[in-house]
Amino acid sequence: MHVLCLLSVFLLQAVELDTEPAWESDDYDYTTGGVLADIDSDGDLDLVTGNGNDMARNPNRVYYNKGGKLEEIASWSSADVACNGHVSLGDMDADGDLDLAVAGFAHQGDWQSDPSRIYLNEGGTFTSSPIWLGGDTLQAFSCDWGDVDADGDLDLAIASGNNYDNRKQKVVIFENAGGMLSAEPMWESDDADFNLDVCWVDIDGDGDLDLAAGGYATNRIYFMEEGTLNPQAGWASADAHHTVQLAFADFDTDGDLDMATADNNQKGNDESRVRIYLNHEGALDTLPFWESKLWTYQSCVAWGDVDADGDLDLAAGGWWEPVTVYENNDNSFDHLPSWSWSPFPNENLVCEQVIWGEVDNDNWKEETENFGVISQRKVIYPFHFPALDVVEVKIDESLASPGEFLWNPADGWIQINREGSVEVTYRYSKYPDLLVTNWVDVKGNLLFLNQAEDTNAVAELPPPELPVQLEKTILIRGEPIRLMASTPQRIEKISLYDVTGRRLTGFAPGDCQAYTELPFETSGLPRGVYFLHVLIRQKPITLRFQII
C-alpha cells in the first residue's frame, strides 16, 4: 500500500492573484456593470460592461478576448449613451447566444431617468442600438434575467429606487412574449424601497426560481409559489445596512445557497461591511453569520474558488477602498482579507463589480454532470461555481436546443424546460482570475490573473505502517468502500476527492472498527481514480483507489 499526497489540493492554501493588475481598459468610462461571458462563441470569455452610473451618459461596451488577452479599447460600443447601471446576460430570443440587458439609472444633475434597454446578439456582436426600451420612470440600478411565469423563456427583473433622490420604487418584471419584452411590467412587488440589486435564485431548493432584492430598508426574497411569484416578500433580513449587491452560492457545502451582501454607508449613519447569511435547508437566516471588518463604502461581492480547495472564497470591493478576497477555511472566514489591492492614490479605484472568470485560458476545466430525470421547468446548479460556459445540455441523450434550457452565467443556474434525463457539460476555471469594474473616468477596468499552477502534482511516498488501510484499491462500480484497522482508530474526518482534486463529499465517522464500510455510494461515481483524505489524531493520510 502506497500513500499518496495531493500537493496541489492539500498544501496549496494561499491566494495567488497578481499583486498588480495584468490588464487595464483604455476607454475610461464610469463603469458599473460587468459580466465575463463568451459573446462571439470562440471559446474564450469577453468582458461586457454597463457604463455611466449617475455621473455621465456613456455607451455600453464589449472588450473581446483575443487568444487569452482582452482588448484595451472595446471593439463594440453601443451607438446610444445613457446613465447605465448593472448588466445581465441571457438568451432572450432562444437562438443560442447571449443577449444583453442593461439597467437604466438617472443623472445626478437633474435625476432624469434613463430607460433600461436590451441589445440582441447577432452573430457574436450586439446590435448597435437597443431593440427595447422600458421603464423610463424607473431609476434602475440592477437587472437580472429569469423565467417568472414558467413558460420557458427569460423575463427581466429590475431593481429600482434612488436614495439620493429620495425616490422609493418597486421591484418590477417585464414579460418575454415571443422574444420581445412587454412595454409595461407584468409583475411588481407590494413594497417599495431604494432597491439597488435583484437576483434570481432557488433559495428554498424546490426547483423553481425565487427573486431576491437588495434594498436600503431591508433585503427581501419573493418566493415562487405553485408557479406564481408572490408579490409579498416571504423573507426579509432583520437588519438594514443599505445593501448594494447580493451574491448567492453554497458557502458551507451543505447543499443549499447562502447569501453574501455588500453593504454601503452612503448616508454616513451605518456600518459598511460584507456580510454572509446562512441557509438552513431552504430557510435563510435573518441575521448574518459573519461580517468583515469595518469599511465605509462596500459595493460588490462575488463567490469563486480562488485556491482550488473545493470551497468558495469571496471577492469584494468598495468605493475608494481596496479590492479584497476572503479565503474560505473550513467554512469560516477571517474578518480581514487574505488578499487585497489598492492603487496610489486610492481615489483611482471605485469598485462596482468583482467578477471571477478565466481570461488567459490557462486553467480551463471541462466537467460533465448527470442530474438524472429532471421535471419540466426545473432549476439545477452545476457542482462547480461559477460555471463559466455551458458546452451542451443533453435531455434523454439527445442534444437540447437553445429553447429547451435557460442559463444565467452570473447567477450560476440552468433551467431545464423539457422533462427527461439531463446531462450537462460545462467549463469552469480551476484557478479563476479576478476582474474589477472601475467607476473612475481617469482609470480603466482591471484584471488580476491567478498565478497558481495547475500541475495536478502527485508525490508518492514510501509505505509506512498505516493505522487504517483500504480493503481493496480497485473496486467494481457498486462495491462498498471498506477501511481495515488492526485496532479501533479515532477518525476525525474523511473526505472523498476525484483525480482532479475536486472534493465530492465527506463526513466525521467517529470510532472506526475493522472492516468499516464507508457511506460513499460508488455506483454513482464515474470510473476512474479517487482519493480518501483521512484525518486520524490530527494526522492526515491519503488513500488511493480506483473504480473500474
Side-chain angles (χ1 to χ4, degrees):
M1 168 72 70
H2 286 183
V3 176
L4 297 168
C5 180
L6 288 178
L7 298 180
S8 62
V9 175
F10 302 126
L11 300 184
L12 177 61
Q13 297 296 328
V15 176
E16 298 194 44
L17 292 175
D18 282 336
T19 56
E20 292 295 330
W23 170 89
E24 181 180 339
S25 62
D26 198 26
D27 285 309
Y28 303 136
D29 303 304
Y30 289 99
T31 301
T32 301
V35 178
L36 281 168
D38 189 2
I39 302 303
D40 52 3
S41 302
D42 65 350
D44 49 30
L45 301 183
D46 313 299
L47 173 63
V48 183
T49 63
N51 308 302
N53 206 300
D54 60 357
M55 295 297 295
R57 289 186 164 88
N58 292 152
N60 301 302
R61 302 191 194 273
V62 177
Y63 300 87
Y64 284 97
N65 192 327
K66 305 295 184 181
K69 294 183 178 180
L70 291 173
E71 303 170 319
E72 293 181 1
I73 297 178
S75 60
W76 180 86
S77 298
S78 62
D80 58 322
V81 295
C83 292
N84 299 295
H86 285 279
V87 302
S88 182
L89 293 173
D91 188 4
M92 183 185 75
D93 52 1
D95 65 350
D97 51 31
L98 296 169
D99 307 303
L100 172 62
V102 185
F105 201 45
H107 192 272
Q108 66 173 338
D110 52 16
W111 296 122
Q112 180 180 346
S113 301
D114 281 329
S116 299
R117 52 203 66 215
I118 304 294
Y119 304 87
L120 281 186
N121 190 332
E122 295 182 342
T125 189
F126 296 123
T127 52
S128 60
S129 298
I131 58 98
W132 175 88
L133 297 172
D136 57 0
T137 62
L138 298 172
Q139 296 191 2
F141 196 63
S142 176
C143 61
D144 201 29
W145 290 111
D147 186 7
V148 67
D149 47 9
D151 63 351
D153 55 28
L154 289 172
D155 313 296
L156 187 65
I158 289 180
S160 59
N162 189 339
N163 183 33
Y164 296 127
D165 194 28
N166 198 30
R167 181 176 299 184
K168 290 186 176 182
Q169 294 184 319
K170 298 183 176 184
V171 178
V172 301
I173 302 174
F174 291 89
E175 181 183 15
N176 187 337
M180 181 59 69
L181 293 187
S182 58
E184 298 295 330
M186 56 89 70
W187 180 95
E188 63 179 25
S189 60
D190 284 347
D191 43 18
D193 198 351
F194 308 126
N195 298 296
L196 291 179
D197 199 18
V198 65
C199 183
W200 291 101
V201 57
D202 183 12
I203 197 67
D204 51 6
D206 63 353
D208 55 31
L209 289 172
D210 311 300
L211 187 62
Y216 183 90
T218 187
N219 301 316
R220 302 173 305 284
I221 295 178
Y222 305 92
F223 287 93
M224 191 74 71
E225 299 172 357
E226 298 181 354
T228 300
L229 190 66
N230 192 334
Q232 183 176 357
W235 175 91
S237 58
D239 51 351
H241 299 292
H242 198 167
T243 296
V244 177
Q245 194 166 76
L246 309 168
F248 292 89
D250 188 4
F251 154 72
D252 51 5
T253 62
D254 65 349
D256 46 35
L257 299 173
D258 310 298
M259 182 176 76
T261 65
D263 297 335
N264 207 282
N265 186 26
Q266 297 183 44
K267 290 295 187 179
N269 56 1
D270 196 5
E271 294 178 334
S272 174
R273 299 183 182 181
V274 177
R275 293 177 169 88
I276 297 175
Y277 298 76
L278 291 183
N279 189 333
H280 303 282
E281 298 181 351
L284 200 65
D285 287 344
T286 59
L287 290 172
F289 143 83
W290 174 89
E291 58 185 32
S292 64
K293 284 289 187 182
L294 183 65
W295 297 104
T296 305
Y297 298 115
Q298 291 290 279
S299 58
C300 49
V301 282
W303 294 103
D305 186 3
V306 67
D307 49 8
D309 64 351
D311 53 29
L312 291 175
D313 312 297
L314 190 63
W319 304 341
W320 311 290
E321 295 173 347
V323 55
T324 56
V325 175
Y326 298 89
E327 187 181 5
N328 187 338
N329 291 309
D330 296 324
N331 301 333
S332 180
F333 288 144
D334 193 343
H335 295 287
L336 296 174
S338 304
W339 176 93
S340 66
W341 181 86
S342 184
F344 181 81
N346 63 350
E347 287 82 1
N348 285 341
L349 177 64
V350 177
C351 298
E352 291 285 1
Q353 183 76 53
V354 282
I355 311 161
W356 294 109
E358 181 57 56
V359 176
D360 57 353
N361 299 331
D362 64 342
N363 281 304
W364 278 117
K365 294 291 180 182
E366 187 170 297
E367 184 86 1
T368 298
E369 287 187 37
N370 193 320
F371 291 87
V373 177
I374 299 296
S375 58
Q376 190 176 24
R377 308 286 191 259
K378 185 172 182 179
V379 172
I380 57 177
Y381 286 84
F383 179 84
H384 292 281
F385 185 93
L388 300 174
D389 183 34
V390 174
V391 178
E392 65 178 25
V393 175
K394 288 185 177 180
I395 305 176
D396 292 333
E397 300 184 352
S398 298
L399 195 64
S401 64
E404 291 181 322
F405 71 95
L406 303 175
W407 175 51
N408 187 310
D411 296 344
W413 51 260
I414 300 171
Q415 178 177 303
I416 306 300
N417 288 334
R418 176 166 66 85
E419 183 174 353
S421 180
V422 173
E423 183 181 270
V424 177
T425 299
Y426 63 95
R427 297 191 300 156
Y428 68 97
S429 176
K430 183 168 184 178
Y431 295 106
D433 308 313
L434 182 63
L435 199 141
V436 178
T437 68
N438 191 10
W439 173 99
V440 175
D441 64 344
V442 297
K443 292 285 288 184
N445 305 304
L446 305 169
L447 171 66
F448 299 88
L449 294 177
N450 197 328
Q451 299 299 338
E453 295 184 4
D454 182 15
T455 61
N456 283 326
V458 177
E460 188 166 325
L461 303 177
E465 291 294 326
L466 296 179
V468 296
Q469 297 185 29
L470 289 167
E471 180 187 29
K472 293 181 179 179
T473 58
I474 298 179
L475 303 176
I476 298 173
R477 285 215 310 174
E479 286 186 344
I481 306 170
R482 296 178 184 271
L483 288 179
M484 296 189 304
S486 57
T487 59
Q489 299 291 332
R490 179 65 182 177
I491 298 179
E492 284 87 10
K493 187 176 182 181
I494 298 180
S495 299
L496 177 65
Y497 291 83
D498 67 14
V499 74
T500 69
R502 177 169 65 106
R503 185 178 185 274
L504 303 178
T505 187
F507 73 110
D511 290 332
C512 173
Q513 302 293 333
Y515 288 96
T516 299
E517 182 177 331
L518 301 184
F520 298 138
E521 178 55 60
T522 64
S523 60
L525 295 175
R527 294 174 176 85
V529 175
Y530 294 85
F531 299 89
L532 285 176
H533 189 57
V534 185
L535 191 64
I536 300 178
R537 299 187 297 274
Q538 298 301 310
K539 294 182 179 180
I541 297 171
T542 302
L543 307 174
R544 179 186 186 274
F545 68 96
Q546 185 175 3
I547 296 177
I548 61 173

